[in-house]
Amino acid sequence: MLLYLMFWASLFLLITNGERGFYGNPYGEWNDSQLQPTIQKLMKGYNRYLRPNFNREGQLQLTEYRLRIKTWIIQTHFFVPTEGPVEIGMSLDIASIDAISEINMDYTATIFLRQRWQDSRLIFPGNESLSLDGRLVSLLWIPDTFIPDSKRSFLHDVTVENRLIRIFSNGTVLYALRITATIACNMDLTKYPMDRQECTLQLESWGYNLQDVVFYWTRGNDSVKGLDTLRLAQYSVESHYTTVSEAVYETGFYPKLVLHFALRRNVLFFILETYVPSTLLVVLSWVSFWISQSSVPARTCIGQ
């Protein structure tokens, strides 16, 4: 009897431990035993709340201060770290422009946003790169990039969240996202329907100012792909170019990247969809003038 009870107790413990192993960790939470050896070493002592170069700046300042005390060097200025802000390279792939609304003065686009920066805390030996699960983003420091003119936006999550994290041996981090956003575009409709509109897509840092991060286009105007191959019903993409600027707010100066692209309205579309049907209706209404006045039902039918 005792052996029988011990057998069922062991089976019960085995089943409950197995369930805890499969379902015990919620989505997005990881522990050290679940990480691969290389990732585990990189994550040891890593603080995702501090940007790259933050700790090193403090160490450099402390080292310089100690050297000054030891060598009795009198200086009238403070040591400026050589690391500086984090340089973040941006590139875009415009997958589609789904809708352009003159009433709301906005457009909806699906974009692939890729960001690159270097984090010295993630350097590991070798020449290979590590492609990580998108859920590991919660363990790393990532830029707080946002689209200031966005009205609505969302990150695609079918079948999983469309995020990519790749770490290279020199500490370079590649972070890619697939986003659909509705972005404001101020339009001048005085020459409608033979107008030309210039819209922008802006990228800014929400909390880190120019002393913390710097944005740049990885390949200049070639950093934006997909606009040349877009096919729109009412518009055609005439040209595009990129600029680097800064956003000025009450809280400081922030990095800013701007994509400018010009849209020219296709007049042929409106001729076929608007002018031709309206002209045919007007011509058809003229037929009532050739119908006898006594044929009231016929004139009424054509008039309607």
Side-chain angles (χ1 to χ4, degrees), residues 273-301:
E273 295 290 330
T274 305
Y275 291 105
V276 171
S278 300
T279 303
L280 292 177
L281 289 175
V282 174
V283 171
L284 183 62
S285 65
W286 293 345
V287 179
S288 62
F289 294 107
W290 280 274
I291 298 177
S292 175
Q293 295 182 0
S294 59
S295 303
V296 177
R299 293 170 61 89
T300 304
C301 180

Side-chain angles (χ1 to χ4, degrees), residues 64-73 75 78-79:
E64 182 68 15
Y65 177 76
R66 289 175 178 173
L67 289 176
R68 291 173 187 171
I69 296 298
K70 290 181 179 180
T71 55
W72 298 93
I73 299 177
Q75 296 181 350
F78 292 96
F79 173 71

Side-chain angles (χ1 to χ4, degrees), residues 14 18 41 56 60 96 99 132-133 158 195 222 292:
L14 179 62
K41 292 179 181 178
R56 179 164 301 206
L60 288 174
S96 64
L132 308 181
D133 190 290
V158 178
D195 55 333
D222 295 333
S292 175

Side-chain angles (χ1 to χ4, degrees), residues 10-284:
S10 302
L11 183 60
F12 176 77
L13 291 176
L14 179 62
I15 292 175
T16 54
N17 288 336
E19 291 180 351
R20 187 178 298 110
F22 285 105
Y23 306 106
N25 295 315
Y27 181 84
E29 294 185 3
W30 298 78
N31 54 36
D32 292 341
S33 61
Q34 290 176 295
L35 300 177
Q36 304 236 350
T38 304
I39 306 299
Q40 188 174 356
K41 292 179 181 178
L42 292 177
M43 293 297 102
K44 186 176 181 180
Y46 186 91
N47 191 344
R48 65 188 179 95
Y49 300 107
L50 299 179
R51 66 173 179 86
N53 306 338
F54 184 86
N55 289 336
R56 179 164 301 206
E57 290 178 8
Q59 293 174 1
L60 288 174
Q61 289 178 348
L62 182 59
T63 303
E64 182 68 15
Y65 177 76
R66 289 175 178 173
L67 289 176
R68 291 173 187 171
I69 296 298
K70 290 181 179 180
T71 55
W72 298 93
I73 299 177
I74 300 176
Q75 296 181 350
T76 58
H77 62 278
F78 292 96
F79 173 71
V80 179
T82 58
E83 292 282 335
V86 184
E87 297 181 356
I88 303 174
M90 302 276 188
S91 63
L92 292 174
D93 277 358
I94 310 297
S96 64
I97 296 181
D98 304 324
I100 301 175
S101 174
E102 293 84 4
I103 298 177
N104 299 322
M105 288 197 176
D106 57 30
Y107 66 93
T108 302
T110 300
I111 62 175
F112 293 87
L113 173 62
R114 298 183 178 90
Q115 306 177 77
R116 291 175 180 267
W117 67 92
Q118 191 166 14
D119 193 339
S120 58
R121 297 172 293 181
L122 299 177
I123 296 177
F124 60 91
N127 297 322
E128 298 181 355
S129 60
L130 298 174
S131 296
L132 308 181
D133 190 290
R135 290 170 291 182
L136 284 174
V137 172
S138 60
L139 300 179
L140 301 176
W141 179 90
I142 57 174
D144 56 351
T145 307
F146 78 108
I147 304 174
D149 293 335
S150 175
K151 297 181 178 179
R152 296 174 299 276
S153 60
F154 65 91
L155 174 67
H156 291 259
D157 56 2
V158 178
T159 58
V160 295
E161 289 188 350
N162 296 175
R163 297 190 293 185
L164 166 69
I165 281 286
R166 185 171 296 163
I167 303 177
F168 296 86
S169 58
N170 62 351
T172 301
V173 182
L174 171 63
Y175 181 43
L177 297 167
R178 184 186 177 209
I179 307 170
T180 295
T182 300
I183 304 169
C185 177
N186 295 325
M187 299 182 181
D188 184 7
L189 302 174
T190 55
K191 296 182 179 180
Y192 179 91
M194 293 177 288
D195 55 333
R196 178 180 180 274
Q197 307 297 339
E198 183 169 342
C199 298
T200 60
L201 173 59
Q202 304 180 32
L203 300 172
E204 296 181 10
S205 175
W206 175 256
Y208 293 104
N209 55 26
L210 287 173
Q211 296 179 355
D212 297 319
V213 297
V214 174
F215 288 173
Y216 69 94
W217 295 105
T218 55
R219 296 180 299 275
N221 291 337
D222 295 333
S223 302
V224 180
K225 303 290 184 182
L227 283 176
D228 298 334
T229 59
L230 282 181
R231 295 294 180 267
L232 306 176
Q234 301 184 26
Y235 292 88
S236 58
V237 181
E238 195 174 53
S239 61
H240 71 276
Y241 64 95
T242 59
T243 58
V244 180
S245 181
E246 62 181 28
V248 181
Y249 297 101
E250 184 180 355
T251 55
F253 298 85
Y254 298 86
K256 178 179 180 180
L257 298 181
V258 186
L259 165 64
H260 306 261
F261 59 96
L263 300 172
R264 181 169 294 278
R265 197 181 302 272
N266 296 328
V267 181
L268 181 60
F269 174 84
F270 283 88
I271 291 177
L272 296 177
E273 295 290 330
T274 305
Y275 291 105
V276 171
S278 300
T279 303
L280 292 177
L281 289 175
V282 174
V283 171
L284 183 62

